Amino acid sequence: AMPIFMPYFHKETGGMRVEDFMKDYYFNFGKEHGIARFGPSNDPVAIVFNEDYLQVFHKEGKYPAGILTGAWAVDEYNRKYVEGYPKNPFLYDGETWRKGRMAVNPYLFNIKEAQSYLPAINETVNSAVHYFEEYATSGKMDKFLELCAFDMFTAASLGIQNKSVAGDPEGLEIAESIIGSLSTLSKVSTECPYSKYDMLKFSAWDNFKKKWSTGREASKKLMKMALEDGEGSGKSIMHGFLGDKELKISDEEANEMYLMLTFAAADTTSSLTNNVLSNLAKNPDIQDKARAEMKQELGGDDYNPEGTKLPYFEQVLKETQRLTPTLGFTNVKSNIPRDLVMNGYTIPAGATVIFSNMGIAHDEQLAGPHPQVFDPDRFSEEKIAARKGTRAEFLDHPLACKPFGFGARMCVGSRIAKLEYMSLICRLIQDYELRVDEQKSAPVDERVRVSRVTTIEYPCPVFKVDKL
């Protein structure tokens, strides 16, 4: 069966109701077999909804494919317009990717190193929260979180307090230039999905070229401020990269890596935080329970993972990812290296295989009763133990309940991103009581979850915010 996309297109945003599409596709085609043929392309593409997808990781070999390899527009832009044709390892497969990933791991995946950026992240958060009420009560929480995510990652990656949330003119211009360039990358990849030659058919390429140029110049400006002019803390991810003599990274390559890391980290962090806060605002009892746990562990102080245990809030995060995931599908693996048999069907080498958790997340036989209800107790120790040895156990697998992917090509900035969203959410929930203002928000039946890359509710609700 072939899907019909148009009913899921969201005209106001230009996005897609990906979650609705995946749910419908599961219940119409994938529930019985756990797999379904997909795509407008002639190339074989399959969506897998269950644990059989793990075969892809077991058999993909030394050089796994990653979702960023679909960002062909960046490589095409660099080839045509950037002197020296800098190559970003995150956009490639093979040895180019492996060497790049091994080089950045000490600065991004090492727990101690990642946590060394937390003071700068907390500083950003403590500055930004003063403006939270202004944004949230005017229907602009999504904008607040977008800018805050950018500022947090800039603090970690460059050691600079950008202060776009506060409306600093220079900081805001830089943030909007870079965020705008990254959003056009998503658009051109979506509208020209299968071949760079599609760019001849779409205006998206021209828009991307213009916006990407602006974003690259803004990122160069930030890099110069941090690395040449001595602004900021002098301690950051990019300071580590460029100070490592063995890596031999040029300034252009460093700029490319900063842009792609921002693309991978900021949008996911913003959307995840948005979904968590929205769920808590709609469920006051759950919010109160999470707040009590945070206050007991943190005592009103900034988030610090050392010695901090927040088991109930971890359940909130998993339930958020189940019911309102950051992405309606994850772990897109293109050009698989060998034939695979999944759920009794042969997937030929060269095919693209996509995993979506939207099937198990909304199937009451797997997710439990009332799967449309936000219930963090679904991930209590007792419920997890009860699922052991059953098909429903896959609900607890990291592939199904983690927001940053799984396997060797999972988000390279996931450790930093977790520090960011934990810092921000713990600060906000400890300091504010948050409720949806239904009188000022669009009616519930007019609010939909839309994906442009990641997924949030549109239009953004208006919130009632009370300082505690």
Side-chain angles (χ1 to χ4, degrees):
M2 298 297 286
I4 299 174
F5 288 100
M6 288 310 296
Y8 302 93
F9 177 73
H10 191 256
K11 185 176 180 180
E12 289 182 64
T13 62
M16 290 280 291
R17 294 186 292 111
V18 171
E19 291 175 4
D20 290 339
F21 171 80
M22 288 293 179
K23 281 186 285 186
D24 290 349
Y25 212 53
Y26 172 76
F27 286 106
N28 289 330
F29 308 114
K31 182 176 180 179
E32 182 178 355
H33 303 291
I35 190 169
R37 171 74 187 272
F38 168 81
S41 168
N42 291 324
D43 298 326
V45 182
I47 306 174
V48 181
F49 294 97
N50 63 16
E51 64 274 14
D52 260 30
Y53 190 89
L54 295 174
Q55 289 188 58
V56 176
F57 300 110
H58 298 154
K59 298 181 180 180
E60 63 185 350
K62 185 178 179 181
Y63 303 123
I67 194 168
L68 286 180
T69 56
W72 60 265
V74 175
D75 191 59
E76 184 70 7
Y77 179 96
N78 289 344
R79 185 180 69 82
K80 286 190 170 185
Y81 305 112
V82 181
E83 185 177 352
Y85 185 16
K87 292 197 173 184
N88 190 317
F90 303 136
L91 304 181
Y92 290 86
D93 293 328
E95 193 65 15
T96 301
W97 164 78
R98 193 190 72 83
K99 287 182 177 179
R101 181 65 180 248
M102 295 299 292
V104 303
N105 274 351
Y107 305 100
L108 291 167
F109 253 50
N110 180 279
I111 295 176
K112 185 176 179 181
E113 187 68 20
Q115 290 181 0
S116 72
Y117 311 128
L118 185 57
I121 293 169
N122 281 335
E123 182 181 347
T124 301
V125 167
N126 283 311
S127 172
V129 293
H130 294 295
Y131 304 91
F132 175 67
E133 184 173 355
E134 176 186 341
Y135 280 90
T137 57
S138 59
K140 297 178 181 177
M141 188 176 78
D142 51 351
K143 186 66 174 179
F144 170 85
L145 295 173
E146 181 182 75
L147 294 175
C148 196
F150 178 84
D151 285 354
M152 287 190 294
F153 190 71
T154 300
S157 60
L158 291 170
I160 286 179
Q161 295 297 323
N162 189 57
K163 297 184 179 179
S164 68
V165 176
D168 175 78
E170 184 178 36
L172 189 58
E173 181 182 3
I174 287 173
E176 290 184 338
S177 294
I178 294 175
I179 292 170
S181 70
L182 297 175
S183 68
T184 59
L185 170 59
S186 304
K187 186 174 178 62
V188 76
S189 299
T190 301
E191 293 194 8
C192 315
Y194 298 110
S195 168
K196 64 187 180 183
Y197 300 109
D198 286 351
M199 68 188 182
L200 300 174
K201 307 174 188 175
F202 296 96
S203 62
W205 169 256
D206 292 331
N207 188 43
F208 165 76
K209 184 171 66 172
K210 178 181 177 181
K211 294 282 189 178
W212 194 253
S213 297
T214 302
R216 288 187 86 258
E217 289 307 309
S219 67
K220 283 183 178 181
K221 183 176 182 179
L222 268 181
M223 297 271 288
K224 182 177 184 297
M225 289 164 60
L227 303 171
E228 296 180 24
D229 300 343
E231 296 186 31
S233 66
K235 163 68 178 174
S236 74
I237 296 167
M238 299 309 300
H239 282 90
F241 286 172
L242 290 170
D244 190 329
K245 302 303 181 186
E246 293 184 7
L247 294 184
K248 299 178 181 178
I249 296 176
S250 69
D251 289 346
E252 286 287 359
E253 288 171 331
N255 192 47
E256 290 298 313
M257 294 178 76
Y258 166 73
L259 275 172
M260 292 311 297
L261 286 171
T262 303
F263 175 67
D267 190 53
T268 306
T269 301
S270 170
S271 298
L272 173 62
T273 307
N274 190 316
N275 292 331
V276 171
L277 293 175
S278 293
N279 285 324
L280 292 176
K282 295 170 185 175
N283 296 275
D285 292 346
I286 294 172
Q287 182 183 159
D288 292 344
K289 188 173 179 179
R291 179 182 298 109
E293 181 182 67
M294 290 174 184
K295 290 208 169 205
Q296 181 178 339
E297 286 291 308
L298 299 171
D301 292 338
D302 293 336
Y303 173 69
N304 184 344
E306 292 294 326
T308 299
K309 294 183 179 180
L310 299 170
Y312 184 72
F313 185 62
E314 290 291 342
Q315 291 174 212
V316 169
L317 291 171
K318 288 181 179 180
E319 179 67 350
T320 294
Q321 183 62 11
R322 180 196 71 84
L323 185 63
T324 53
T326 307
L327 293 165
F329 59 88
T330 57
N331 287 288
V332 178
K333 296 289 186 178
S334 59
N335 196 27
I336 58 173
R338 63 194 72 184
D339 291 355
L340 296 175
V341 178
M342 293 187 181
N343 299 296
Y345 291 85
T346 299
I347 312 297
T352 294
V353 188
I354 301 169
F355 174 76
S356 174
N357 75 330
M358 297 309 295
I360 58 172
H362 291 270
D363 188 336
E364 63 181 13
Q365 294 179 354
L366 302 175
H370 311 296
Q372 75 281 4
V373 174
F374 185 78
D375 179 14
D377 286 336
R378 210 179 298 272
F379 290 94
S380 66
E381 290 183 2
E382 294 78 12
K383 293 288 179 66
I384 291 173
R387 287 193 287 268
K388 287 287 186 183
T390 72
R391 285 185 60 221
E393 182 179 5
F394 187 59
L395 191 70
D396 306 307
H397 193 282
L399 178 62
C401 66
K402 295 291 186 182
F404 297 104
F406 181 75
R409 293 297 292 254
M410 70 180 291
C411 176
V412 69
S414 58
R415 288 200 191 278
I416 307 296
K418 183 171 184 178
L419 292 173
E420 291 171 350
Y421 69 71
M422 290 296 289
S423 174
L424 181 56
I425 296 171
C426 287
R427 181 77 279 142
L428 289 173
I429 295 302
Q430 288 187 101
D431 289 357
Y432 297 97
E433 185 177 77
L434 189 62
R435 303 286 187 268
V436 176
D437 190 335
E438 294 294 358
Q439 289 186 329
K440 294 182 179 179
S441 300
V444 173
D445 60 358
E446 293 180 11
R447 301 200 303 257
V448 295
R449 289 182 53 75
V450 179
S451 303
R452 280 166 281 189
V453 179
T454 53
T455 310
I456 60 174
E457 191 173 23
Y458 178 88
C460 181
V462 177
F463 294 89
K464 295 179 180 177
V465 178
D466 293 317
K467 186 80 167 69
L468 298 174

